Amino acid sequence: MSNCIIPTLKYDNAETMIEWLCQAFGFKKHLVVPGENGLIEHAQLTFNASMIMLGSVRESEFDSLQTTPSAVGGVGTQSPYIIVDDVDAHFQRALAQGAEIVMEPEDQPYGGRLYSCRDPEGHLWNFGSYNPWQD
């Protein structure tokens, strides 16, 4: 797969959030590169054939370009949409791990079912059954 999109996120406590993302959303650790003082230099988490990359907030050139929702008043500027087979089961899993539900599961007029939530550091996530590649 030479052409793909991999979202990147920054976290204040990336080490804790990696565990949370795996438990709440079903991600799997692909690579985690620890740094000094408990920071995560780089991490790759997979979800089926997809991936996200994340790391700890720190002083760097890249960090001057990307930050966390809490650093900008709690509002995100992007949000991943992740296709899941069973939206309601995934919703229950995320809810049980303390995800902040901002949109309950609901059938969408364009097809599929969707819910949206925030992780403990405020990143917005969308999970749905609509697959635009199968239209």
Side-chain angles (χ1 to χ4, degrees):
M1 184 181 337
S2 62
N3 297 317
C4 64
I5 297 171
I6 301 173
T8 63
L9 300 104
K10 287 293 188 173
Y11 283 100
D12 290 315
N13 189 341
E15 186 175 30
T16 298
M17 288 308 303
I18 288 169
E19 298 303 322
W20 191 90
L21 292 166
C22 291
Q23 290 178 10
F25 295 161
F27 281 99
K28 305 279 188 240
K29 295 177 197 173
H30 182 72
L31 174 70
V32 178
V33 181
E36 295 180 10
N37 302 319
L39 296 179
I40 300 297
E41 292 293 325
H42 177 75
Q44 301 166 356
L45 304 181
T46 59
F47 189 89
N48 298 327
S50 299
M51 178 182 287
I52 62 168
M53 294 190 297
L54 62 97
S56 297
V57 171
R58 57 188 180 280
E59 297 286 327
S60 74
E61 183 179 358
F62 186 74
D63 283 80
S64 70
L65 303 170
Q66 182 180 17
T67 191
T68 64
S70 64
V72 292
V75 178
T77 60
Q78 62 180 345
S79 62
Y81 172 77
I82 299 168
I83 300 166
V84 296
D85 292 328
D86 186 336
V87 172
D88 294 298
H90 195 276
F91 167 79
Q92 290 299 326
R93 178 181 183 158
L95 187 63
Q97 292 298 318
E100 177 193 350
I101 306 304
V102 295
M103 292 173 54
E104 298 276 333
E106 185 175 20
D107 293 334
Q108 300 300 303
Y110 52 82
R113 191 162 174 76
L114 169 81
Y115 82 93
S116 298
C117 65
R118 292 188 199 282
D119 66 30
E121 289 202 18
H123 286 287
L124 181 62
W125 296 84
N126 307 283
F127 296 93
S129 59
Y130 176 71
N131 184 341
W133 295 107
Q134 295 180 349
D135 259 9

